């Protein structure tokens, strides 16, 4: 299945870009406050950050990558466990997973996306093999 992952590719096209997450890790969208709702590119990063499920660090760019070995149930578990481990209420995890899976299913593998609050926009298209770990599918 196709999932969103942290990427440093296409960083720097916006002056407020940052990438602290780990390349290739699964990400999700989080909001820590409401300040971003009128100004996603204002002082608060909540409207544009993707959070790594493993590192808990953020990035403003995410790449659609293909994970043939991961099922929807696996992804739901990963998201729920990460939110739980980060101290978030994980009760919305399944709905969040469903929404993200549907959004990402419309995008090509290799698409590099940025976020505007709840919407994803394609910033760049890359070769689908970029970032692939050798000998892994
Ligand atoms: Zn915020």
């Amino acid at each position: 299945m196709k999932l969103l992952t942290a990427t440093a590719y296409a960083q720097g096209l916006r002056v407020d870009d940052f990438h602290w997450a780990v390349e290739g890790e699964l990400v999700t969208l989080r909001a820590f406050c409401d300040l971003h709702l009128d100004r996603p590119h204002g002082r608060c990063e909540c409207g544009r950050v993707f959070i790594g499920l493993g590192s808990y660090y953020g990035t403003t760019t995410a790449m659609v990558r293909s994970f043939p070995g991961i099922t929807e149930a696996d992804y739901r578990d990963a998201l729920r466990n990460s939110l739980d481990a980060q101290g978030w209420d994980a009760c919305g995890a399944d709905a969040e997973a469903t929404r993200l899976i549907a959004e990402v299913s419309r995008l090509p593998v290799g698409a590099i996306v940025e976020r505007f609050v709840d919407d994803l926009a394609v910033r760049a298209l890359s070769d689908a093999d970029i970032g692939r770990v050798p000998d892994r599918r």
Side-chain angles (χ1 to χ4, degrees):
M1 69 185 305
K2 289 186 283 185
L3 293 169
L4 275 186
T5 62
T7 191
Y9 290 101
Q11 276 278 308
L13 294 180
R14 291 190 183 277
V15 292
D16 54 6
D17 267 341
F18 58 87
H19 176 74
W20 300 320
V22 175
E23 182 71 32
E25 72 172 318
L26 296 175
V27 294
T28 190
L29 284 54
R30 284 279 92 183
F32 304 96
C33 72
D34 289 336
L35 294 176
H36 62 287
L37 292 176
D38 344 321
R39 292 186 64 196
H41 285 274
R43 284 169 63 192
C44 157
E45 69 193 37
C46 298
R48 53 198 171 86
V49 69
F50 300 94
I51 302 291
L53 295 193
S55 70
Y56 313 162
Y57 284 110
T59 180
T60 51
T61 44
M63 188 192 289
V64 177
R65 287 182 166 110
S66 173
F67 295 91
I70 294 185
T71 66
E72 243 180 86
D74 293 336
Y75 179 61
R76 284 176 205 287
D77 286 348
L79 182 58
R80 196 178 317 107
N81 291 339
S82 176
L83 294 180
D84 193 46
Q86 292 180 68
W88 292 93
D89 184 353
C91 71
D94 282 0
E96 190 173 326
T98 300
R99 192 181 81 80
L100 272 180
I101 288 167
E103 288 258 336
V104 172
S105 71
R106 297 185 286 109
L107 300 170
V109 170
I112 296 168
V113 300
E114 56 187 9
R115 171 186 171 199
F116 291 90
V117 189
D118 288 330
D119 294 322
L120 301 178
V122 175
R123 176 184 283 198
L125 295 172
S126 69
D127 185 309
D129 284 336
I130 287 178
R132 178 172 291 177
V133 177
D135 302 317
R136 298 191 67 182
R137 313 181 103 218

